[in-house]
DNA sequence: CTAACTGCAAATAATTTGCAGCCGT
DNA sequence: ACGGCTGCAAATTATTTGCAGTTAG
């Protein structure tokens, strides 16, 4: 038939709808800015990116929505030693190796924590939804530089 | 012999000395406040605790020293969704399960990441010094409460 | 002695809040 | 329509900086 609805596959829209939240231009723009799996952006950077799509976006609304999205489990703040947290998608576990000198972040996919999720479930009755693993150290190129 | 020096075993003092930093009353008090393995304190709370030992301690000095201690690898900031980061000792890997509803933190010792540390070393030449594993979910008592 | 540190006060940065109007549903 | 959301401006909270006096080594 001709009335087929194209699946609105934009990330997060379904979750907002399912919880009765409105799909506003601000929210679309923020979600779009965060939708890239690889992006690690702080609020100021998110504002900048999202404004390319919705120029009137305001920092106050951004903060309100980051809080909402975090509560809904769409995103998660990461503290990487900078002044502001960086927000990332909360789709799947994240595994980083972070260089303590230059702050470069290496992502990798291997996961070692699913066993531990079962362990805390069994021992503490803790119902885990995702996890974050950060390995701290010095990256290859910083090892070559003289120490600070 | 009578001239034996008692080992000044206070946590962090040796590291400061080794790097040529002075052992001031402020630094002693801050280190003491953070020395407990289990403590998760934000700057405001650290100030409060450290002032019990050194009443004149100032927030500005606290921030300056938290930055120093982080650079020296003594402590590490943790972002747990509260407004300020919490500082913890950076002695050994940390493994938490964090309840996204009540923010309670369960610590546990089992470590699953040492294999991954070897992996990033081999693949990226990354020299890791420690790691952080956070499991997010809902703790047992919050599961019993009605959802927000 | 003498730089490294400190406390204080003032500046800047980050986040939150109050409110009147706008816009998704 | 009407109530959730918004942008703006102002308030609050967090962090940094300048500077003159203090103190560890």
């Amino acid at each position: 038939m001709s009335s087929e609805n194209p699946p609105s596959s934009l990330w997060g829209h379904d979750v907002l709808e399912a919880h009765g939240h409105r799909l506003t231009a601000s929210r679309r723009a923020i979600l779009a800015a965060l939708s890239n799996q690889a992006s690690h952006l702080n609020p100021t950077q998110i504002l900048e990116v999202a404004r390319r799509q919705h120029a009137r976006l305001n920092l106050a609304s951004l903060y309100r929505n980051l809080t909402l999205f975090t509560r809904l489990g769409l995103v998660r703040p990461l503290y990487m030693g900078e002044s502001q947290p960086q927000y990332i998608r909360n789709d799947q576990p994240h595994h980083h190796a972070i260089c303590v000198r230059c702050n470069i972040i290496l992502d990798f996919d291997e996961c070692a924590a699913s066993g531990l999720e079962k362990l805390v479930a069994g021992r503490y009755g803790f119902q885990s939804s995702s996890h974050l693993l950060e390995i701290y150290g010095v990256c290859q190129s910083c090892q070559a530089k003289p120490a600070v």
Side-chain angles (χ1 to χ4, degrees), chain A residues 119-134:
Chain A
L119 181 135
V120 291
R123 186 184 299 172
Y124 306 109
F126 190 88
Q127 190 177 65
S128 60
S129 53
S130 73
H131 64 261
L132 166 69
L133 171 67
E134 294 178 355

Side-chain angles (χ1 to χ4, degrees), chain A residues 13-22 68 71-73:
Chain A
H13 290 204
D14 50 345
V15 174
L16 287 180
E17 275 176 13
H19 287 260
H21 297 290
R22 294 186 182 171
L68 173 66
R71 186 153 47 82
L72 293 176

Side-chain angles (χ1 to χ4, degrees), chain A residues 52-90:
Chain A
R52 300 208 270 262
Q53 174 174 331
H54 179 56
R56 298 175 45 76
L57 179 62
N58 187 273
L59 249 187
S61 297
L62 174 60
Y63 276 105
R64 282 186 281 235
N65 281 314
L66 287 176
T67 303
L68 173 66
F69 297 169
T70 301
R71 186 153 47 82
L72 293 176
L74 283 169
V75 300
R76 168 195 308 154
L78 278 189
Y79 187 86
M80 321 246 77
E82 331 224 302
S83 49
Q84 291 176 289
Q86 299 180 234
Y87 283 82
I88 59 174
R89 289 181 60 155
N90 196 17

Side-chain angles (χ1 to χ4, degrees), chain A residues 79-81 96-100 103 132-139:
Chain A
Y79 187 86
M80 321 246 77
H96 314 282
I98 302 164
C99 178
V100 296
N103 281 323
L132 166 69
L133 171 67
E134 294 178 355
I135 297 181
Y136 300 92
V138 183
C139 72

